[in-house]
Amino acid sequence: MAEKKHLLEVNHLKTSFFTDSGEVKAVNDVSYYVDEQEIVAVVGESGCGKSVTQMSVMQLIQSPPGKILGGEAILEGQDILKFRPGSKEMRAVRGEKIAMIFQEPMTSLNPVITVGKQLTEVIRTHKKVSKKEAWEMGINALASVGIPEPEARMKNYPFEMSGGMRQRVMIAVAVACNARLIVADEPTTALDVTTQAQVMELLLDVVDKMKTSLIVVTHNLGLVTRYADRIYVMYAGRIIESGTTEELMTKPCHPYTIGLLNAVPKLDADEHAHLMTIEGAPPNLADLPDSCAFAPRCPYANEACKNLPHPELRPAGGHGHFTACHLEVRREES
Ligand code: SF4
């Protein structure tokens, strides 16, 4: 079988924020890839660097205080981190090649401009079409994401729409631009449970129909195991485990991943079942230890863990399965 091509390959990415409290190492030597038509999840607690990683690749980090200190992001053979953030090339990457969907669509939508105007502007930035053609394409894009009365909706301002509708508009932007990769950062967290499921279903449907790739950034490991092909788990600015979803679900190796899995409610659990949580809080990224950053919360930590340098990722058995832990830890079946 022919090897799938990496659509995006990120190597040794490092991003820090220089603050009054010191250098906050938000992304600390992170490498990952996404193949064509693949769904990849980046999972971790809030503040673990998962969003900053994606924002760095898109060159959307505010500088100062943020700075990309190193690494490369190869998209279709080109290192897009070599482009200046405001350059024509980088603008072409954003939208045309990679579309980003944020937790709160108002981050991307301008509240004082109608949805139609914003949609047609984005389309015309990336495609050589007239205003009229772009307007028609905008209507079609809204219709394709299930927005009723798309002609009328084009004249709405974003604040006149619900959160779920606004998120549909963001997905419509990705559809209209024919993006090769969609990066969805906690796309459903701000929505109510029913709308969450609808928006996620729509996103997966669009990804399937457009044959695009998808990176989902989330704190919810339980949710992504239903549709992701592969998962990267991040902790304190680093990837600490990666592998296929099946491998991570059945043979997780890193104590943090095991902790996240134990915290996922089971469908067949009885209502009095006790959900395990990971004790403690993530470390201060401005004051990271040289040793394993998870040690203060790790039930398996021993003296060596506290004295040895932070563990590097090493193969953990299955194809593409890597873990950054000094010990051979296995999850006990619960
Ligand atoms: Fe826990 Fe030690 Fe592994 Fe770190 S290296 S995750 S402290 S067992």
Side-chain angles (χ1 to χ4, degrees), residues 254-256 292-296 298-302 304-306 311 324-327 329:
H254 195 284
Y256 179 61
C292 178
F294 188 58
C298 180
Y300 303 89
N302 62 21
C305 298
K306 291 168 195 160
C325 174
H326 294 305
L327 305 187
V329 178

Side-chain angles (χ1 to χ4, degrees), residues 37-56:
Q37 296 181 45
E38 192 184 30
I39 300 178
V40 162
V42 181
V43 179
E45 286 163 296
S46 147
C48 70
K50 56 192 192 305
S51 298
V52 181
T53 300
Q54 304 307 322
M55 299 284 276
S56 301

Side-chain angles (χ1 to χ4, degrees), residues 4 37-41 224 227-231 243-246:
K4 271 188 174 180
Q37 296 181 45
E38 192 184 30
I39 300 178
V40 162
V224 293
Y227 52 79
D229 297 307
R230 285 186 304 114
I231 297 175
T244 62
T245 302
E246 195 191 345

Side-chain angles (χ1 to χ4, degrees), residues 13-327:
L13 183 66
K14 283 187 179 183
T15 301
S16 286
F17 291 89
F18 293 88
T19 69
D20 292 344
S21 349
E23 180 185 351
V24 175
K25 292 183 179 173
V27 182
N28 201 345
D29 199 7
V30 163
S31 301
Y32 65 97
Y33 67 87
V34 56
D35 281 332
E36 299 202 352
Q37 296 181 45
E38 192 184 30
I39 300 178
V40 162
V42 181
V43 179
E45 286 163 296
S46 147
C48 70
K50 56 192 192 305
S51 298
V52 181
T53 300
Q54 304 307 322
M55 299 284 276
S56 301
V57 171
M58 299 291 274
Q59 297 215 40
L60 290 172
I61 295 292
Q62 197 183 339
S63 179
K67 194 165 185 340
I68 299 171
L69 299 174
E72 56 178 21
I74 311 292
L75 179 73
E76 297 177 321
Q78 271 190 312
D79 182 1
I80 59 174
L81 291 185
K82 290 225 159 63
F83 298 150
R84 278 183 301 106
S87 64
K88 203 170 138 219
E89 291 93 340
M90 201 58 221
R91 285 205 308 273
V93 168
R94 290 187 216 112
E96 196 176 317
K97 297 203 169 142
I98 308 180
M100 199 148 179
I101 296 171
F102 295 96
Q103 176 174 340
E104 176 40 77
M106 289 308 267
T107 312
S108 319
L109 294 169
N110 189 329
V112 294
I113 301 179
T114 62
V115 164
K117 191 148 193 279
Q118 294 189 58
L119 207 44
T120 48
E121 268 175 18
V122 176
I123 292 167
R124 294 194 76 214
T125 308
H126 300 298
K127 299 202 186 302
K128 286 194 173 55
V129 290
S130 68
K131 275 188 184 167
K132 193 163 175 281
E133 284 167 323
W135 189 265
E136 285 303 316
M137 287 168 78
I139 293 173
N140 289 340
L142 290 187
S144 73
V145 296
I147 293 185
E149 300 176 57
E151 291 94 342
R153 289 300 194 169
M154 289 284 275
K155 292 173 194 145
N156 280 165
Y157 290 91
F159 66 82
E160 295 176 305
M161 295 178 150
S162 67
M165 277 297 162
R166 287 200 290 259
Q167 210 53 303
R168 281 176 190 264
V169 170
M170 291 315 300
I171 299 173
V173 171
V175 171
C177 296
N178 243 324
R180 302 288 316 279
L181 168 66
I182 298 176
V183 178
D185 188 352
E186 302 275 11
T188 62
T189 305
L191 307 173
D192 65 76
V193 179
T194 317
T195 317
Q196 275 186 7
Q198 288 167 350
V199 168
M200 204 59 230
E201 211 170 288
L202 169 70
L203 190 54
L204 294 174
D205 192 46
V206 161
V207 162
D208 184 48
K209 286 201 182 115
M210 282 173 57
K211 303 206 178 318
T212 177
S213 307
L214 173 68
I215 296 178
V216 181
V217 177
T218 180
H219 66 281
N220 193 335
L221 181 58
L223 196 72
V224 293
T225 53
R226 292 184 212 150
Y227 52 79
D229 297 307
R230 285 186 304 114
I231 297 175
Y232 290 92
V233 182
M234 281 191 79
Y235 188 78
R238 289 183 164 103
I239 288 168
I240 51 87
E241 186 158 12
S242 67
T244 62
T245 302
E246 195 191 345
E247 185 82 12
L248 248 70
M249 287 291 289
T250 54
K251 297 176 204 138
C253 290
H254 195 284
Y256 179 61
T257 313
I258 294 172
L260 288 180
L261 282 169
N262 287 340
V264 174
K266 289 196 177 55
L267 283 176
D268 55 0
D270 78 76
E271 59 181 309
H272 304 296
H274 178 66
L275 258 193
M276 291 169 80
T277 51
I278 303 172
E279 299 276 319
N284 177 357
L285 296 180
D287 189 21
L288 285 171
D290 294 330
S291 54
C292 178
F294 188 58
R297 304 173 75 186
C298 180
Y300 303 89
N302 62 21
E303 271 315 295
C305 298
K306 291 168 195 160
N307 296 325
L308 290 169
H310 193 285
E312 299 286 331
L313 282 168
R314 61 172 171 82
H319 178 68
H321 189 178
F322 291 88
T323 182
C325 174
H326 294 305
L327 305 187

